[in-house]
Amino acid sequence: MANRINLNQTSYHGAGAIEEIANEAKAHGFKKAFVCSDPDLVKFHVTSKVTDILEKNGLAYELYSDIKPNPTIENVQHGVQAFKDSGADYLIAIGGGSSMDTSKAIGIIIANPEFEDVRSLEGTAPTKKPCVPIIAVPTTAGTAAEVTINYVITDVERKRKFVCVDPHDMPIIAIIDPEMMSSMPKGLTASTGMDALTHAIEGYTTKAAWEMTDMFHLKAIELISKSLRGAVENTKEGREGMALGQYIAGMGFSNVGLGIAHSMAHTLGAVYDTPHGVACAMMLPIVMEYNQECTGEKYREIARAMGVKGVDEMSQEEYRKAAIEAVKKLSVDVGIPTKLEAIKEEDLQFLAESAHADACAPGNPKDASVEDLKDLFRKIM
């Protein structure tokens, strides 16, 4: 079977990259932007860094800020109608995964109205047309939604998140400007950074991993491990390293999938509204321990990429333990908790069944039963 790689048509990297938005909009002949950004980014004048460029260049836009931290079916439906009312012909998504995911869902439904029932997009929906063109401008270093074919929507009624995987939702242009990430608070920087590390490690060990994606994931692990502590302290080098590292992780995992750390994190987010990156950080070392017997020599390379010394002299048991301990240490160093007090024993069956049904679960290197997942959830209680 052939291995497929989907990436942006164009991406810009580095400080000041947002200036390219006007050039790209003009080059594509776009008439009016539907700018999706969350209320806090608008309030703290992060969004205006982009809209000021549009105004300076005489480019029309409409600002849409009804973006929730975990976008819901209702958010998407509202956004679809607002887009139709705006007369826009392209989207600019400014923010973290929430803004990106909302934009992708809006863009897909506008281009493929037969999928207006948002639930019909779950999994690998057979859409026919590329979504409305998206220019994606991340303000967090974590989700890599600007370079992935995935988005996640929350079904409030059923208390679950569902993953949509569709090559038609890929933003045509990604603008990776570390200056857009400099206003992120420490906690958000830490949690989104651990989400990025989870992408890289799960992508590297997933069943579908292959040489090209391994190359992306190992470099991402190296950059994230070296940069996250500095990014939390808002150093220039840390922000730049995380901006690139999380994007490279997205180049990989979007094309080969993830594993149960993500399926379990999705479930925790849907039931308890746990921030996605925090949930990923809690589950990652636990899942790594569970998967280790099915990973060959890969944990040696994870440990090496995370800066562990002397891995070539270690036994398989030693380097696997070293990789897991390096992940635990990084998570603790940036302030991520290891326990989630909200979890109750009576919730475990629903949590495990939801995680087992999640689209990320089949990619896990070791098949996990509902009972296995219940046991893993217990480890963060």
Side-chain angles (χ1 to χ4, degrees), residues 187-243:
L188 184 60
T189 300
S191 65
T192 56
M194 289 303 296
D195 183 21
L197 183 66
T198 309
H199 290 155
I201 289 176
E202 287 209 294
Y204 182 51
T205 56
T206 189
K207 289 174 181 174
W210 62 293
E211 287 86 347
M212 184 179 288
T213 57
D214 286 355
M215 173 182 69
F216 294 146
H217 290 131
L218 284 173
K219 190 61 181 179
I221 294 167
E222 177 190 334
L223 283 167
I224 293 163
S225 301
K226 188 167 59 176
S227 306
L228 182 54
R229 293 176 181 87
V232 169
E233 297 304 320
N234 207 25
T235 67
K236 179 175 179 290
E237 296 77 13
R239 290 291 187 199
E240 289 175 347
M242 282 305 303

Side-chain angles (χ1 to χ4, degrees), residues 146-319:
E146 69 276 7
V147 68
T148 71
I149 60 173
N150 316 314
Y151 57 101
V152 182
I153 303 298
T154 299
D155 187 334
V156 175
E157 181 184 339
R158 299 179 184 176
K159 289 188 176 180
R160 60 187 295 268
K161 287 186 174 185
F162 58 88
V163 181
C164 308
V165 183
D166 187 349
H168 285 143
D169 70 37
M170 174 74 74
I172 60 167
I173 298 159
I175 308 288
I176 321 303
D177 188 333
E179 292 182 347
M180 290 294 291
M181 304 172 184
S182 61
S183 61
M184 274 199 301
K186 286 187 176 184
L188 184 60
T189 300
S191 65
T192 56
M194 289 303 296
D195 183 21
L197 183 66
T198 309
H199 290 155
I201 289 176
E202 287 209 294
Y204 182 51
T205 56
T206 189
K207 289 174 181 174
W210 62 293
E211 287 86 347
M212 184 179 288
T213 57
D214 286 355
M215 173 182 69
F216 294 146
H217 290 131
L218 284 173
K219 190 61 181 179
I221 294 167
E222 177 190 334
L223 283 167
I224 293 163
S225 301
K226 188 167 59 176
S227 306
L228 182 54
R229 293 176 181 87
V232 169
E233 297 304 320
N234 207 25
T235 67
K236 179 175 179 290
E237 296 77 13
R239 290 291 187 199
E240 289 175 347
M242 282 305 303
L244 184 57
Q246 63 90 34
Y247 181 86
I248 295 172
M251 293 169 70
F253 87 82
S254 174
N255 290 289
V256 293
L258 293 165
I260 58 172
H262 259 79
S263 63
M264 296 173 82
H266 290 152
T267 304
L268 294 173
V271 176
Y272 306 115
D273 208 26
T274 310
H276 179 65
V278 172
C280 283
M282 288 179 175
M283 296 315 312
L284 179 59
I286 292 168
V287 169
M288 288 178 70
E289 288 175 348
Y290 175 78
N291 286 334
Q292 58 185 322
E293 66 192 57
C294 300
T295 58
E297 298 178 348
K298 286 199 164 184
Y299 280 27
R300 181 183 63 202
E301 302 313 312
I302 292 172
R304 192 194 313 277
M306 294 192 73
V308 176
K309 305 297 183 187
V311 292
D312 290 322
E313 286 72 52
M314 292 181 183
S315 67
Q316 187 176 71
E317 181 181 353
E318 288 171 337
Y319 67 62

